[in-house]
Amino acid sequence: MKIAIGCDHGGINLKPELIKYLESKGVEYIDFGCYDKNSVDYVDYAIKVSKSVQSKECDLGILICGTGIGMSIVANKFKGIRCGHCHDAFSAKMTRLHNNANILAFGERVIGVGLMTEIVENFIFTDFSGDERHIRRVEKIKAVENENMK
Ligand code: RB5
């Protein structure tokens, strides 16, 4: 499994903690930046991570900004990307099980390291349920993309 990760200056303190966690689990990752505390536009980093997941260079993506909101808005503009904006471990699990989300977004100004770790663990180690009703709903999301993302 390979994870694309990205942050803006609002997520710069939590990203090293995320990296520590991924390395402790032996999970491969590509770090798309940013790499310091200078103010940047979260849009640019959400684009890099979304493209990496969309092209299947990486299996899943994780985005961190101040709130996770801006990052998730951008990621969800990409065809084939389903980004779950999660600040609790239950939602992180459910967005994989039910929505087959392929990107997770959260905010460094909202959660701490302990909760982040539980959220990330649930996200990356939960598979899509594959239940007929959830497949049908994800297919409907794809139909919405095809009709509205021209
Ligand atoms: C940056 O100040 C902040 O707006 C950004 O990190 C994010 O929270 C946007 O949604």
Side-chain angles (χ1 to χ4, degrees), residues 8-11 39-40 42 64-71 109:
D8 71 352
H9 55 287
S39 181
V40 292
Y42 59 82
I64 317 170
C65 62
T67 60
I69 297 170
M71 290 287 203
R109 297 172 187 157

PDB file of all heavy atoms in Angstrom, residues 8-11 39-40 42 64-71 109, ligand 1:
ATOM      1  N   ASP A   8      -0.746  21.944   4.076  1.00  0.00           N
ATOM      2  CA  ASP A   8      -0.326  23.339   3.912  1.00  0.00           C
ATOM      3  C   ASP A   8       0.351  23.747   5.224  1.00  0.00           C
ATOM      4  O   ASP A   8       0.583  22.888   6.098  1.00  0.00           O
ATOM      5  CB  ASP A   8      -1.502  24.241   3.503  1.00  0.00           C
ATOM      6  CG  ASP A   8      -2.510  24.458   4.625  1.00  0.00           C
ATOM      7  OD1 ASP A   8      -2.390  23.796   5.693  1.00  0.00           O
ATOM      8  OD2 ASP A   8      -3.418  25.285   4.454  1.00  0.00           O
ATOM      9  N   HIS A   9       0.626  25.042   5.380  1.00  0.00           N
ATOM     10  CA  HIS A   9       1.282  25.503   6.613  1.00  0.00           C
ATOM     11  C   HIS A   9       0.412  25.209   7.834  1.00  0.00           C
ATOM     12  O   HIS A   9       0.919  25.027   8.933  1.00  0.00           O
ATOM     13  CB  HIS A   9       1.578  27.007   6.507  1.00  0.00           C
ATOM     14  CG  HIS A   9       0.360  27.823   6.194  1.00  0.00           C
ATOM     15  ND1 HIS A   9      -0.214  27.817   4.936  1.00  0.00           N
ATOM     16  CD2 HIS A   9      -0.414  28.627   6.955  1.00  0.00           C
ATOM     17  CE1 HIS A   9      -1.288  28.608   4.932  1.00  0.00           C
ATOM     18  NE2 HIS A   9      -1.431  29.104   6.148  1.00  0.00           N
ATOM     19  N   GLY A  10      -0.911  25.135   7.630  1.00  0.00           N
ATOM     20  CA  GLY A  10      -1.842  24.848   8.736  1.00  0.00           C
ATOM     21  C   GLY A  10      -1.780  23.412   9.212  1.00  0.00           C
ATOM     22  O   GLY A  10      -2.321  23.081  10.267  1.00  0.00           O
ATOM     23  N   GLY A  11      -1.103  22.550   8.436  1.00  0.00           N
ATOM     24  CA  GLY A  11      -1.003  21.142   8.835  1.00  0.00           C
ATOM     25  C   GLY A  11       0.433  20.691   9.012  1.00  0.00           C
ATOM     26  O   GLY A  11       0.711  19.495   9.154  1.00  0.00           O
ATOM     27  N   SER A  39       3.572  30.443   4.515  1.00  0.00           N
ATOM     28  CA  SER A  39       2.177  30.373   4.094  1.00  0.00           C
ATOM     29  C   SER A  39       2.067  29.965   2.617  1.00  0.00           C
ATOM     30  O   SER A  39       2.731  30.538   1.752  1.00  0.00           O
ATOM     31  CB  SER A  39       1.530  31.750   4.308  1.00  0.00           C
ATOM     32  OG  SER A  39       0.188  31.699   3.927  1.00  0.00           O
ATOM     33  N   VAL A  40       1.257  28.952   2.373  1.00  0.00           N
ATOM     34  CA  VAL A  40       1.046  28.455   1.001  1.00  0.00           C
ATOM     35  C   VAL A  40      -0.463  28.293   0.780  1.00  0.00           C
ATOM     36  O   VAL A  40      -1.256  28.460   1.711  1.00  0.00           O
ATOM     37  CB  VAL A  40       1.754  27.092   0.771  1.00  0.00           C
ATOM     38  CG1 VAL A  40       3.267  27.245   0.783  1.00  0.00           C
ATOM     39  CG2 VAL A  40       1.295  26.052   1.805  1.00  0.00           C
ATOM     40  N   TYR A  42      -3.452  25.859   0.227  1.00  0.00           N
ATOM     41  CA  TYR A  42      -3.792  24.437   0.388  1.00  0.00           C
ATOM     42  C   TYR A  42      -4.234  23.796  -0.927  1.00  0.00           C
ATOM     43  O   TYR A  42      -4.028  22.608  -1.158  1.00  0.00           O
ATOM     44  CB  TYR A  42      -4.885  24.250   1.468  1.00  0.00           C
ATOM     45  CG  TYR A  42      -6.181  24.971   1.178  1.00  0.00           C
ATOM     46  CD1 TYR A  42      -7.138  24.431   0.319  1.00  0.00           C
ATOM     47  CD2 TYR A  42      -6.451  26.218   1.748  1.00  0.00           C
ATOM     48  CE1 TYR A  42      -8.317  25.099   0.045  1.00  0.00           C
ATOM     49  CE2 TYR A  42      -7.620  26.896   1.475  1.00  0.00           C
ATOM     50  CZ  TYR A  42      -8.556  26.335   0.618  1.00  0.00           C
ATOM     51  OH  TYR A  42      -9.721  26.998   0.336  1.00  0.00           O
ATOM     52  N   ILE A  64      -3.815  17.312   5.112  1.00  0.00           N
ATOM     53  CA  ILE A  64      -3.944  18.038   6.378  1.00  0.00           C
ATOM     54  C   ILE A  64      -3.838  19.534   6.117  1.00  0.00           C
ATOM     55  O   ILE A  64      -2.867  19.994   5.503  1.00  0.00           O
ATOM     56  CB  ILE A  64      -2.834  17.663   7.392  1.00  0.00           C
ATOM     57  CG1 ILE A  64      -2.574  16.153   7.421  1.00  0.00           C
ATOM     58  CG2 ILE A  64      -3.185  18.174   8.779  1.00  0.00           C
ATOM     59  CD1 ILE A  64      -1.328  15.758   8.224  1.00  0.00           C
ATOM     60  N   CYS A  65      -4.837  20.292   6.562  1.00  0.00           N
ATOM     61  CA  CYS A  65      -4.699  21.756   6.588  1.00  0.00           C
ATOM     62  C   CYS A  65      -5.171  22.205   7.966  1.00  0.00           C
ATOM     63  O   CYS A  65      -5.178  21.408   8.901  1.00  0.00           O
ATOM     64  CB  CYS A  65      -5.414  22.431   5.417  1.00  0.00           C
ATOM     65  SG  CYS A  65      -7.190  22.202   5.317  1.00  0.00           S
ATOM     66  N   GLY A  66      -5.523  23.471   8.111  1.00  0.00           N
ATOM     67  CA  GLY A  66      -5.946  23.940   9.430  1.00  0.00           C
ATOM     68  C   GLY A  66      -7.206  23.222   9.891  1.00  0.00           C
ATOM     69  O   GLY A  66      -7.308  22.758  11.026  1.00  0.00           O
ATOM     70  N   THR A  67      -8.173  23.136   8.991  1.00  0.00           N
ATOM     71  CA  THR A  67      -9.462  22.525   9.320  1.00  0.00           C
ATOM     72  C   THR A  67      -9.734  21.232   8.550  1.00  0.00           C
ATOM     73  O   THR A  67     -10.660  20.497   8.901  1.00  0.00           O
ATOM     74  CB  THR A  67     -10.605  23.495   8.948  1.00  0.00           C
ATOM     75  OG1 THR A  67     -10.516  23.758   7.532  1.00  0.00           O
ATOM     76  CG2 THR A  67     -10.510  24.802   9.715  1.00  0.00           C
ATOM     77  N   GLY A  68      -9.018  21.019   7.472  1.00  0.00           N
ATOM     78  CA  GLY A  68      -9.311  19.893   6.567  1.00  0.00           C
ATOM     79  C   GLY A  68     -10.381  20.245   5.542  1.00  0.00           C
ATOM     80  O   GLY A  68     -10.601  19.495   4.584  1.00  0.00           O
ATOM     81  N   ILE A  69     -11.035  21.372   5.733  1.00  0.00           N
ATOM     82  CA  ILE A  69     -12.184  21.705   4.868  1.00  0.00           C
ATOM     83  C   ILE A  69     -11.738  22.074   3.451  1.00  0.00           C
ATOM     84  O   ILE A  69     -12.221  21.516   2.463  1.00  0.00           O
ATOM     85  CB  ILE A  69     -13.030  22.847   5.482  1.00  0.00           C
ATOM     86  CG1 ILE A  69     -13.626  22.415   6.821  1.00  0.00           C
ATOM     87  CG2 ILE A  69     -14.146  23.254   4.513  1.00  0.00           C
ATOM     88  CD1 ILE A  69     -14.273  23.551   7.618  1.00  0.00           C
ATOM     89  N   GLY A  70     -10.805  23.033   3.366  1.00  0.00           N
ATOM     90  CA  GLY A  70     -10.367  23.476   2.036  1.00  0.00           C
ATOM     91  C   GLY A  70      -9.795  22.318   1.234  1.00  0.00           C
ATOM     92  O   GLY A  70     -10.114  22.132   0.051  1.00  0.00           O
ATOM     93  N   MET A  71      -8.974  21.510   1.886  1.00  0.00           N
ATOM     94  CA  MET A  71      -8.352  20.367   1.220  1.00  0.00           C
ATOM     95  C   MET A  71      -9.424  19.413   0.691  1.00  0.00           C
ATOM     96  O   MET A  71      -9.335  18.918  -0.442  1.00  0.00           O
ATOM     97  CB  MET A  71      -7.465  19.600   2.208  1.00  0.00           C
ATOM     98  CG  MET A  71      -6.198  20.330   2.619  1.00  0.00           C
ATOM     99  SD  MET A  71      -5.017  20.331   1.246  1.00  0.00           S
ATOM    100  CE  MET A  71      -3.473  20.560   2.134  1.00  0.00           C
ATOM    101  N   ARG A 109      -5.786  22.085  13.379  1.00  0.00           N
ATOM    102  CA  ARG A 109      -6.294  22.997  14.398  1.00  0.00           C
ATOM    103  C   ARG A 109      -7.512  22.410  15.096  1.00  0.00           C
ATOM    104  O   ARG A 109      -8.120  23.060  15.942  1.00  0.00           O
ATOM    105  CB  ARG A 109      -6.626  24.360  13.760  1.00  0.00           C
ATOM    106  CG  ARG A 109      -5.380  25.043  13.190  1.00  0.00           C
ATOM    107  CD  ARG A 109      -5.696  26.294  12.390  1.00  0.00           C
ATOM    108  NE  ARG A 109      -4.470  26.784  11.743  1.00  0.00           N
ATOM    109  CZ  ARG A 109      -4.460  27.555  10.659  1.00  0.00           C
ATOM    110  NH1 ARG A 109      -5.595  27.968  10.119  1.00  0.00           N
ATOM    111  NH2 ARG A 109      -3.314  27.941  10.139  1.00  0.00           N
TER     112      ARG A 109
HETATM  113  C1  RB5 B   1      -4.899  28.396   6.292  1.00  0.00           C
HETATM  114  O1  RB5 B   1      -4.893  29.504   7.133  1.00  0.00           O
HETATM  115  C2  RB5 B   1      -6.250  27.705   6.386  1.00  0.00           C
HETATM  116  O2  RB5 B   1      -7.218  28.479   5.765  1.00  0.00           O
HETATM  117  C3  RB5 B   1      -6.165  26.330   5.759  1.00  0.00           C
HETATM  118  O3  RB5 B   1      -5.182  25.584   6.386  1.00  0.00           O
HETATM  119  C4  RB5 B   1      -7.430  25.485   5.807  1.00  0.00           C
HETATM  120  O4  RB5 B   1      -7.924  25.417   7.109  1.00  0.00           O
HETATM  121  C5  RB5 B   1      -8.463  25.801   4.826  1.00  0.00           C
HETATM  122  O5  RB5 B   1      -9.510  25.154   4.716  1.00  0.00           O
END
